Amino acid sequence: QVRLVESGGGLVQPGGSLRLSCAASGIIFSIYTMGWYRQAPGKQRELVAVISGIDNTNYAESVKGRFTISRDNAKNTSYLQMNSLKPEDTAVHYCKAETTKWGPPREYWGQGTQVTVSS
């Protein structure tokens, strides 16, 4: 059974930092591209950052220079370090794992973790 479990969300003041974690189980983690997405109330889910199995990364323009995505294949975990947080970063943040390797395309989502940036 595949599970993605996010953690690390919470309430932080503008300018503060949070680190989100996504712990995966039930998959061969290293062949999956890991992504972080977010969905604010009344808005569509949007890409925040992705990292491939060989550590190629891509970021939304709105978070470039503030957020850093990383992964630890030995721990089956992906991370999103979020610095200089702004109120507009407030959203439920979701972890996604996807691959086209070794079988049909597959993707899995976590349950999400709330990030609230407010004074």
Side-chain angles (χ1 to χ4, degrees):
Q1 182 181 0
V2 178
R3 289 191 70 199
L4 300 179
V5 180
E6 300 100 333
S7 61
L11 173 64
V12 64
Q13 292 186 341
S17 298
L18 285 174
R19 189 175 85 151
L20 305 184
S21 299
C22 173
S25 59
I27 60 173
I28 301 173
F29 186 75
S30 61
I31 68 170
Y32 281 77
T33 291
M34 300 302 297
W36 286 94
Y37 293 73
R38 66 188 182 187
Q39 188 167 19
K43 295 187 177 181
Q44 289 188 331
R45 191 172 296 188
E46 63 177 3
L47 171 71
V48 176
V50 291
I51 183 167
S52 72
I54 55 171
D55 289 348
N56 291 324
T57 58
N58 193 29
Y59 296 89
E61 286 296 325
S62 60
V63 307
K64 280 184 179 178
R66 300 189 297 124
F67 291 10
T68 302
I69 190 171
S70 61
R71 64 189 296 156
D72 185 337
N73 288 346
K75 295 183 178 180
N76 286 3
T77 301
S78 171
Y79 304 97
L80 185 68
Q81 178 66 45
M82 305 185 294
N83 298 328
S84 301
L85 282 160
K86 304 175 181 180
E88 51 263 44
D89 295 318
T90 295
V92 178
H93 284 64
Y94 297 90
C95 174
K96 177 184 176 183
E98 60 183 326
T99 189
T100 59
K101 296 181 179 180
W102 300 359
R106 307 176 294 286
E107 66 176 47
Y108 305 100
W109 290 88
Q111 82 288 349
T113 185
Q114 177 69 46
V115 172
T116 302
V117 185
S118 175
S119 55

